Amino acid sequence: MNRIKKGDQVIVTAGKDKGKKGDVVRVLGDKVVVSNINIIKRHTKPNPQANQPGGVIEREAPIHISNVMLFNPASGKGERIGFKVLEDGRKLRVFRSSGEAVDA
């Protein structure tokens, strides 16, 4: 089970976008794509078959998972994640500082 999942709100802890918040769009192994974070300019050729125009396109690039922390709305800060195993065998993500469940 990953500590960070699609749809989580995270805060960036390192890099040019340090301190910014965003939602996780995709998880790619040990990297995540966060909305409006790590924006790059991509020069693309037009592709008539895909009905895609050419030009300079801005999009999000992946950022390493170690450079983001899950945002805790209760404390207003990024916090570390731990796991708690329930009686029925399911794993639950919890904030390490408070012990409260992430996906309540």
Side-chain angles (χ1 to χ4, degrees), residues 80-98:
R80 297 189 304 164
I81 299 297
F83 294 104
K84 186 184 281 187
V85 180
L86 303 176
E87 297 85 35
D88 57 357
R90 288 185 297 141
K91 270 179 144 181
L92 187 68
R93 295 187 301 163
V94 294
F95 288 111
R96 289 239 183 113
S97 61
S98 60

Side-chain angles (χ1 to χ4, degrees), residues 8-101:
D8 285 343
Q9 189 174 23
V10 294
I11 188 163
V12 180
T13 59
K16 65 178 183 179
D17 293 320
K18 182 177 179 176
K20 291 185 182 177
K21 285 186 280 191
D23 294 326
V24 175
V25 179
R26 279 195 331 232
V27 178
L28 308 165
D30 62 348
K31 293 185 181 232
V32 290
V33 177
V34 184
S35 61
N36 297 324
I37 302 292
N38 199 17
I39 299 291
I40 59 166
K41 290 182 188 290
R42 177 101 174 123
H43 295 71
T44 58
K45 282 182 158 182
N47 186 353
Q49 280 112 5
N51 200 13
Q52 186 179 27
V56 181
I57 298 170
E58 288 190 349
R59 65 181 183 99
E60 297 102 358
I63 185 170
H64 200 271
I65 206 163
S66 67
N67 294 330
V68 296
M69 289 181 94
L70 202 61
F71 181 74
N72 187 353
S75 67
K77 296 190 282 188
E79 294 192 7
R80 297 189 304 164
I81 299 297
F83 294 104
K84 186 184 281 187
V85 180
L86 303 176
E87 297 85 35
D88 57 357
R90 288 185 297 141
K91 270 179 144 181
L92 187 68
R93 295 187 301 163
V94 294
F95 288 111
R96 289 239 183 113
S97 61
S98 60
E100 67 183 62

